[in-house]
């Protein structure tokens, strides 16, 4: 999927896509992201940033990520999944333009 970002117009990207027989799928710029995993990644990022201390070594991040992932309640994940019909309704109401998601 390509959203019109300049990087996709480079000859390197075009040649790679052609060499591998990949079709070019146009995607509107600023399109709504309906994938609930994006919300989950944001939660992860916020939680990890709260635990990460200045000067901490990168090797200390893995246990922080693992524990942060384990600490996310299954109810939060289920709520994101259950939000999909509402996301689609909102998208339809906005005539497929940006939504609150």
């Amino acid at each position: 999927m390509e959203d019109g970002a300049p990087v996709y117009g480079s000859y390197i990207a075009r040649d790679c896509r052609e060499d591998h027989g990949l079709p070019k799928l146009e995607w509107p710029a600023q399109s709504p992201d309906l994938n609930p995993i994006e919300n989950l990644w944001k939660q992860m990022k916020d939680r990890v940033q709260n635990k990460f201390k200045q000067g901490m070594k990168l090797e200390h991040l893995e246990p922080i990520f693992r524990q942060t992932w384990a600490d996310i309640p299954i109810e939060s994940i289920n709520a994101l999944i259950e939000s999909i019909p509402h996301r689609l309704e909102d998208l339809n109401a906005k005539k497929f333009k940006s939504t609150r998601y």
Side-chain angles (χ1 to χ4, degrees):
M1 273 186 279
E2 299 181 5
D3 63 1
V7 68
Y8 298 125
S10 74
Y11 68 90
I12 295 171
R14 184 197 65 227
D15 290 350
C16 182
R17 195 175 48 252
E18 289 173 2
D19 289 347
H20 292 88
L22 299 171
K24 182 177 180 180
L25 302 174
E26 297 293 339
W27 201 252
Q30 302 297 319
S31 62
D33 194 340
L34 300 178
N35 188 344
I37 195 72
E38 298 299 332
N39 301 96
L40 191 55
W41 290 136
K42 172 74 167 97
Q43 290 178 29
M44 283 285 295
K45 177 184 169 188
D46 293 345
R47 292 175 186 207
V48 168
Q49 282 181 332
N50 289 335
K51 296 176 184 176
F52 188 78
K53 305 292 184 237
Q54 190 70 15
M56 190 181 275
K57 295 184 178 182
L58 286 177
E59 64 248 21
H60 296 126
L61 272 178
E62 183 179 351
I64 291 173
F65 273 106
R66 288 184 180 277
Q67 187 59 52
T68 302
W69 181 259
D71 290 344
I72 294 177
I74 192 68
E75 294 82 12
S76 294
I77 296 170
N78 287 338
L80 287 171
I81 294 167
E82 291 166 3
S83 73
I84 292 172
H86 303 292
R87 292 166 186 262
L88 295 173
E89 288 171 9
D90 200 24
L91 181 64
N92 190 35
K94 300 277 185 161
K95 300 196 184 323
F96 300 94
K97 298 208 168 135
S98 291
T99 68
R100 60 191 169 113
Y101 298 102

